[in-house]
Amino acid sequence: MSSETESQLDTDEARELIQTFQKSLDSIRGEVRKVIIGQEEVVDHLLVTLLVGGHCLITGMPGTAKTLLVRTLAVALGLSYKRIQFTPDLMPTDVTGTDIIEEDSSTGRRTWTFVPGPLFANVLLADEVNRTPPKTQSALLEAMQELTVTVRGNLHRISPPFFVLATQNPIELEGTYPLPEAQLDRFMFHVQVDYPGRDEELAIIKQTTDDREEKVEAVLGAERICQIGELVRQLPIADHVASYGLDLVRSSRPDREEATDLVREYVSWGAGPRAGQYLVLGAKAHALLDGRFAVEYADIDAVAHPVMRHRLRLNFQAEAAGLVANDVIDHLLEQVRNRESSEQTDGRLPNVFGSEGTGQS
């Protein structure tokens, strides 16, 4: 850890913020559990996304509480929340807002007034985002990347924190519009929500069929979230850990020398530079969630799948072989670990994997 980073993290304000966050984390999870049963890994992925100011694409079957989870988490974090149900007839101005003409009753003078759309919130739930045409989907791009909206040539800024959490169903794809690659790449994570286990599903049935109504309380707030996000970026990461994340990304590109035989055979193109950036940012946030102030190999492993799964494009041979993006990422993790372990054995890197090469420090 550099002396500059130590000084940034060792101030009274930083220590107080870290203590506040650690105390709040259990409270946040407890508030979410009042409504959401299970899905702990998904909740942690969403918390990581929110801490670093990213956006998240959530895919899951109907009825897996995707919308409820996002709304509950927004309330628990003390953030403003808005929801858009994406449909084929949704227009860009339905998302961004629009200018209207207002007349002053005393003077009769007419002026243009901007009426903000649902984008102007801390947490925006874009429900079934793939059911609206690309013209409306593209209305999200500027907001996601620049925190601005342009209407009639006028620039309107969105107050941070701002997170887009978009959902889509993996079935009933008739009449849907696949997300453009540029928009997909702006999502930090692609989280997959699976069916609950038997015991969890029984608990869900019992909880949702009685007359109790759980009230979720706000724990943090927009200002604290922004402060914690700045703190996450100050967490140190060793060069060899950052290089491990970079090796994962570069090994996914079939035209690079780092690519494995499996990648060259089954991948059309691999992850771009944003994947490396989000691997490091996600790993930093994961370390902080775990109560640590330095990033380890295991933190990179923990966020590798949600960061990379929507950035890999597999070819027809992969489809015929029954391979999906998660399989390729599993392969890359194993291959890069083995490569790094070999270098550690040669004395070129500190031994951080251990004798098993599991990726744990």
Side-chain angles (χ1 to χ4, degrees):
M1 184 187 299
S2 68
S3 58
E4 181 181 359
T5 303
E6 283 181 338
S7 63
Q8 289 174 329
L9 293 176
D10 200 34
T11 63
D12 291 339
E13 183 180 358
R15 283 195 296 267
E16 180 184 354
L17 185 59
I18 290 171
Q19 292 173 358
T20 299
F21 173 70
Q22 296 297 340
K23 292 177 182 177
S24 301
L25 186 58
D26 288 338
S27 298
I28 292 169
R29 287 171 170 152
E31 293 299 317
V32 172
R33 289 192 192 103
K34 289 181 180 179
V35 180
I36 303 297
I37 295 174
Q39 308 291 5
E40 282 85 1
E41 185 179 43
V42 176
V43 172
D44 282 350
H45 285 331
L46 291 182
L47 284 172
V48 167
T49 305
L50 299 181
L51 288 180
V52 302
H55 310 288
C56 186
L57 179 64
I58 308 170
T59 300
M61 299 293 285
T64 50
K66 301 183 295 296
T67 302
L68 180 62
L69 173 58
V70 172
R71 184 173 69 246
T72 303
L73 191 58
V75 174
L77 291 171
L79 301 175
S80 63
Y81 162 85
K82 290 184 181 178
R83 174 180 178 270
I84 307 175
Q85 181 64 51
F86 278 69
T87 57
D89 60 348
L90 195 72
M91 299 297 292
T93 52
D94 296 329
V95 177
T96 61
T98 188
D99 285 327
I100 63 172
I101 296 178
E102 286 191 337
E103 182 176 325
D104 189 326
S105 59
S106 61
T107 64
R109 185 178 178 180
R110 295 181 177 182
T111 57
W112 287 100
T113 301
F114 178 67
V115 179
L119 269 178
F120 291 83
N122 297 137
V123 177
L124 174 68
L125 173 61
D127 210 356
E128 295 191 283
V129 67
N130 59 335
R131 294 199 175 276
T132 203
K135 184 177 181 180
T136 303
Q137 291 176 1
S138 65
L140 287 174
L141 285 178
E142 180 185 355
M144 292 171 67
Q145 188 66 22
E146 308 294 340
L147 289 184
T148 59
V149 167
T150 304
V151 177
R152 294 181 60 252
N154 298 316
L155 195 69
H156 304 275
R157 299 198 176 276
I158 301 172
S159 299
F162 173 68
F163 314 105
V164 174
L165 305 179
T167 70
Q168 61 180 11
N169 296 327
I171 60 173
E172 295 180 346
L173 299 180
E174 294 82 0
T176 61
Y177 304 85
L179 299 182
E181 299 304 325
Q183 187 172 347
L184 271 177
D185 196 45
R186 280 169 171 78
F187 286 103
M188 175 182 178
F189 276 180
H190 178 194
V191 173
Q192 294 177 332
V193 181
D194 201 358
Y195 286 124
R198 179 180 175 82
D199 291 341
E200 292 175 343
E201 193 162 359
L202 178 60
I204 291 170
I205 292 173
K206 293 173 66 176
Q207 177 173 296
T208 57
T209 55
D210 61 21
D211 59 353
R212 290 180 301 171
E213 184 177 351
E214 298 287 352
K215 184 178 180 181
V216 178
E217 302 290 341
V219 176
L220 284 175
E223 183 178 356
R224 283 293 193 185
I225 291 290
C226 289
Q227 292 174 341
I228 294 169
E230 294 173 1
L231 184 66
V232 167
R233 292 175 179 269
Q234 296 173 17
L235 259 64
I237 180 169
D239 286 346
H240 61 271
V241 179
S243 294
Y244 172 62
L246 179 61
D247 288 343
L248 283 174
V249 174
R250 293 185 62 84
S251 297
S252 73
R253 302 168 186 167
D255 59 342
R256 295 294 185 263
E257 63 179 358
E258 297 96 333
T260 66
D261 292 339
L262 183 142
V263 168
R264 292 192 177 95
E265 182 176 359
Y266 293 120
V267 178
S268 296
W269 68 84
R274 276 199 185 98
Q277 296 168 351
Y278 284 142
L279 277 176
V280 169
L281 278 175
K284 287 185 174 187
H286 186 270
L288 190 62
L289 285 178
D290 201 36
R292 291 176 286 105
F293 306 108
V295 182
E296 304 173 356
Y297 278 69
D299 298 312
I300 298 284
D301 291 349
V303 299
H305 286 83
V307 165
M308 296 182 65
R309 63 165 57 105
H310 58 301
R311 294 183 163 89
L312 302 181
R313 283 296 166 266
L314 277 55
N315 56 29
F316 290 113
Q317 289 91 333
E319 184 177 353
L323 288 180
V324 295
N326 283 343
D327 299 323
V328 176
I329 297 168
D330 288 338
H331 164 79
L332 289 174
L333 286 169
E334 180 181 0
Q335 293 300 310
V336 174
R337 286 171 190 159
N338 292 338
R339 191 185 308 163
E340 297 283 331
S341 295
S342 298
E343 293 179 356
Q344 292 159 12
T345 302
D346 294 339
R348 285 178 283 176
L349 287 175
N351 186 356
V352 292
F353 282 118
S355 59
E356 298 289 328
T358 60
Q360 303 291 335
S361 295

